[in-house]
Amino acid sequence: MAGMSPRTVRGSGLKNQGALLLLLLLVLCFLSAHGEEPGLYDYILTDGKGKEVTLAPYRGRILVLEFFATWCPPCKKALPRTASLQEKYPTNKVTFLAVSADGSSNTAQMVPRFIEEMGLKIPVLVGGALFIDRYAGIEERTGRRIVLPQTYVFGGDGQMLLRLVGEQKTKAKQLAAELDQILKEAAS
């Protein structure tokens, strides 16, 4: 349960969290028994209203995921810039999503206010611990650590095409150039 704080495990939601954890463990055991790791479209996240969702509806599109946290100053700069790129691309070809990597149990309450403050017009999801560990976790000598912001570009088949880690002044420009190239190659 890397990345989970003690507050996440305590509280009135313990019964629901326990049931969800058991379900996730059973799914992972099933998949590992069959030698398969969950794919991008298999993970369960939550939307801004607390509803469980997957990324399966985005299959077939280029998917840009921007991992952020509400407490991350570089994310507050990068997220609006990255999100503004959605205006340049048709959503049926390229879809931008923001994924909160906040680890606290009250993330669901913090994210809507953060979205409003940032003026985000792209969908925002809250990533589950397994999803965040798989995509945003960085292995170091001292253990797991998350460096934010992180931007991932996935092809329509769910394969990772690009990963940009940390604060980068030219990230939006670089990301747009990469997306233009991917679309150009797909068209030919």
Side-chain angles (χ1 to χ4, degrees):
M1 295 192 13
M4 294 183 73
S5 68
R7 288 184 300 182
T8 303
V9 183
R10 293 187 196 127
S12 62
L14 183 60
K15 185 176 179 181
N16 290 342
Q17 290 176 351
L20 181 58
L21 181 60
L22 180 61
L23 177 64
L24 290 172
L25 288 173
L26 289 172
V27 169
L28 287 177
C29 288
F30 175 79
L31 292 173
S32 65
H34 292 84
E36 297 177 25
E37 189 172 307
L40 176 68
Y41 304 114
D42 299 323
Y43 287 95
I44 298 171
L45 298 97
T46 32
D47 66 11
K49 296 175 181 152
K51 181 183 171 195
E52 290 184 345
V53 297
T54 68
L55 300 177
Y58 303 104
R59 190 182 312 265
R61 303 180 200 178
I62 295 169
L63 190 57
V64 180
L65 300 181
E66 178 77 5
F67 287 89
F68 74 97
T70 57
W71 48 261
C72 169
C75 298
K76 291 178 182 181
K77 293 178 194 172
L79 183 55
R81 289 182 202 145
T82 301
S84 71
L85 290 175
Q86 181 65 78
E87 296 170 8
K88 182 178 177 182
Y89 301 98
T91 56
N92 65 336
K93 293 189 185 250
V94 180
T95 299
F96 287 73
L97 300 172
V99 179
S100 170
D102 286 287
S104 74
S105 59
N106 64 350
T107 296
Q109 292 86 23
M110 296 181 325
V111 171
R113 190 175 84 221
F114 180 82
I115 294 168
E116 187 177 320
E117 288 172 5
M118 295 289 107
L120 294 178
K121 296 188 180 10
I122 63 171
V124 178
L125 303 173
V126 176
L130 296 172
F131 185 76
I132 298 299
D133 280 351
R134 164 80 189 277
Y135 290 105
I138 305 275
E139 192 67 42
E140 292 187 345
R141 288 183 184 190
T142 58
R144 301 285 283 172
R145 192 182 110 192
I146 295 176
V147 175
L148 296 170
Q150 289 192 32
T151 307
Y152 288 78
V153 177
F154 294 91
D157 59 358
Q159 296 299 310
M160 188 186 316
L161 303 175
L162 178 67
R163 177 179 179 210
L164 301 169
V165 179
E167 185 176 12
Q168 300 173 17
K169 292 180 182 182
T170 62
K171 179 168 77 170
K173 188 176 184 178
Q174 179 184 356
L175 181 57
E178 291 286 341
L179 290 170
D180 291 344
Q181 184 63 35
I182 292 168
L183 288 170
K184 182 180 175 182
E185 290 172 6
S188 57

